[in-house]
Amino acid sequence: MTKNDVVTRFPPSPTGMMHIGNARTALFNWLYARHCEGKFLIRIEDTDRERHNDEAVEVIKESLKWLSLDYDNEPESQYENRQRHIDVANEMVKNGQAYYCYCTPEELQGMRDSAKAEGRSASYDRRWRDRPAEDAPAGVKPVIRVKAPLEGKSVINDEVQGEVIVDNSTLDDLIILRSDGTPTYMLAVIVDDHDMGITHVIRGDDHLNNTFRQNVIYDALGWDQPTYAHLPLIHGADGAKLSKRHGAVSVQEFQQLGYLPESVMNYLLRLGWGHGDQEFFSTEEAVKLFDLKGVNKSAAKFDYVKLESINAHYMKEADNDRLIDLVAPFLQTGHDMIISEIGLARLQAGMDGLKDRSKTLVELASESIFYLVDADKIAYTEKGEKHLNADAKPVLEGLLSAMKNISPFTHDAIEEGCREFANAHADGKLGKVMMPLRAALTGTDKSPSLFEAVEILGKDEVCARIQKAIQHIG
Ligand code: GLU
């Protein structure tokens, strides 16, 4: 097999969300396929018809799209392949690789109870494995079970876990077709992977046990087993599997929290894979460097603070116009605000300063507001109010006339004007002037470089805001 024969797959169950662990599995499959110039395929494991709905499939597609993980097929539906699974199961019976089992639920429960009491993992005692067809009880619909090997050991050479061996005595004769005629997951996944030409199965190590059971089916059918890479799971800070109680867990949640897709991708890549000490990877670099050998063997801990700092890095790097597009929905949903023409011009001018201060798009939206509202809409926060006291009033009044005289109204001229004013009226203490001015312009006590903001807002708007603050102090 040459490298570009590699075919990987991502087979999510449509649960209505994409867990970040699944996103990492998708990423590693995608990276490996792209690295090898092979194929990356999607299959929706939608056999649970009771819970199935189309929106849940859309969530998967949307999440993949957001993460820019493109795929090389029209996503397959496992449910649609069910007749093929049934045919394979029947074929296996015909070839003597599988058999009908007519056990009642009570019999099976009895076997499970004794296996438990004796500490055995395989419980079914194979009582129908070699019984003649004439013994079949009338009117009972059988299940189909695969014949697992009775002796010896099974080995897989996992790309991540290394050699893993199990004793075949621990393997049950698995059910591959239920008595209602529906195929089981174990069978469906093998048949689909085989039919889709999957060469590499890269998935969470919670499936490692299944692998040995599924290999029984591969071997019975005489099909080649794929190469396996079982990825350690992602844990929360307390060492338990990452779940809702640790915080955000789905791709959509991270999107709503204002993370950029490239940050999530970079973080997921580093969470479980490394290339020396390198921290940041462009997509091209990741594709070039990714290999299964670099995947860590031990579980990774999800660190929300680290993700935030990576996001801050990518926010600084991001193109300004793109950030304006991305922040717009956060302004709309979070602040009921549409970017006007003048607001857009101010955001374009001020984005360098804004993005340096924002760790997420949610923060960027809050930081941007003062550029987007008119003087009469400036709302003063508690922190802003502190600087709008009786002492601030004469300062703002003086500053108002000083501002009117600054020309041209540019950063340097504004700075000079403010310094001169501070020297003449505030014992040279620039802070005494700047804090009330900041509160007047932004409503609060933090902002990007104030001289820059003053220049961007323009003389009329700055004067209107100072005027409003003076009136507000009363
Ligand atoms: N549908 C399975 C899951 O979401 C995929 C298992 C596999 O990769 O084989 O866990």
Side-chain angles (χ1 to χ4, degrees), residues 21 40 220 261 351 453:
F40 172 61
M351 189 48 83

Side-chain angles (χ1 to χ4, degrees), residues 24 231-237 239-242 267-268 270-273 296-303:
R24 190 189 56 165
L231 313 171
L233 297 186
I234 300 176
H235 288 172
K241 191 176 161 184
L242 190 72
Y267 182 63
L268 289 178
R270 289 287 289 110
L271 195 67
W273 179 84
N296 301 332
K297 269 188 175 192
S298 47
K301 283 199 175 143
F302 199 93
D303 182 343

Side-chain angles (χ1 to χ4, degrees), residues 9-15 22 25 29 43-46 78 185 189-190 193 201-204 206-207 210-211 214 228 230:
R9 46 47 144 199
F10 178 56
S13 312
T15 57
N22 271 349
T25 302
N29 276 282
R43 178 176 70 238
I44 308 294
E45 306 220 306
D46 52 357
Q78 187 154 65
Y185 165 70
V189 82
I190 298 306
D193 280 349
V201 168
I202 304 169
R203 61 185 173 193
D206 49 340
H207 286 283
N210 284 348
T211 295
Q214 292 170 358
Y228 290 104
H230 285 94

Side-chain angles (χ1 to χ4, degrees), residues 87-249:
D87 293 345
V88 169
N90 289 326
E91 191 65 23
M92 288 172 79
V93 176
K94 223 161 85 200
N95 296 338
Q97 296 140 343
Y99 60 94
Y100 295 118
C101 163
Y102 297 87
C103 283
T104 62
E106 295 71 34
E107 284 175 305
L108 291 170
Q109 190 55 49
M111 288 180 235
R112 272 194 291 273
D113 291 346
S114 27
K116 201 170 166 198
E118 291 160 29
R120 282 183 285 114
S121 60
S123 70
Y124 178 61
D125 65 8
R126 302 187 160 105
R127 65 180 63 168
W128 283 95
R129 182 161 162 141
D130 297 312
R131 273 174 82 169
E134 311 77 90
D135 284 4
V140 178
K141 286 219 167 80
V143 300
I144 295 181
R145 289 180 182 270
V146 66
K147 291 184 180 171
L150 299 175
E151 284 159 3
K153 293 182 190 306
S154 295
V155 182
I156 63 164
N157 284 302
D158 191 277
E159 293 288 305
V160 175
Q161 313 284 336
E163 187 181 67
V164 190
I165 304 179
V166 304
D167 219 307
N168 289 339
S169 64
T170 64
L171 304 175
D172 251 327
D173 282 358
L174 279 189
I175 297 176
I176 54 175
L177 203 74
R178 299 186 190 90
S179 57
D180 65 1
T182 57
T184 60
Y185 165 70
M186 289 292 197
L187 176 68
V189 82
I190 298 306
V191 175
D192 288 348
D193 280 349
H194 173 264
D195 290 358
M196 290 166 77
I198 304 302
T199 61
H200 286 68
V201 168
I202 304 169
R203 61 185 173 193
D205 67 8
D206 49 340
H207 286 283
L208 189 57
N209 268 334
N210 284 348
T211 295
F212 286 97
R213 288 161 179 78
Q214 292 170 358
N215 279 346
V216 169
I217 304 175
Y218 272 111
D219 294 346
L221 286 162
W223 292 346
D224 285 341
Q225 294 170 14
T227 300
Y228 290 104
H230 285 94
L231 313 171
L233 297 186
I234 300 176
H235 288 172
D238 58 358
K241 191 176 161 184
L242 190 72
S243 68
K244 275 203 187 331
R245 69 192 167 83
H246 295 108
V249 285

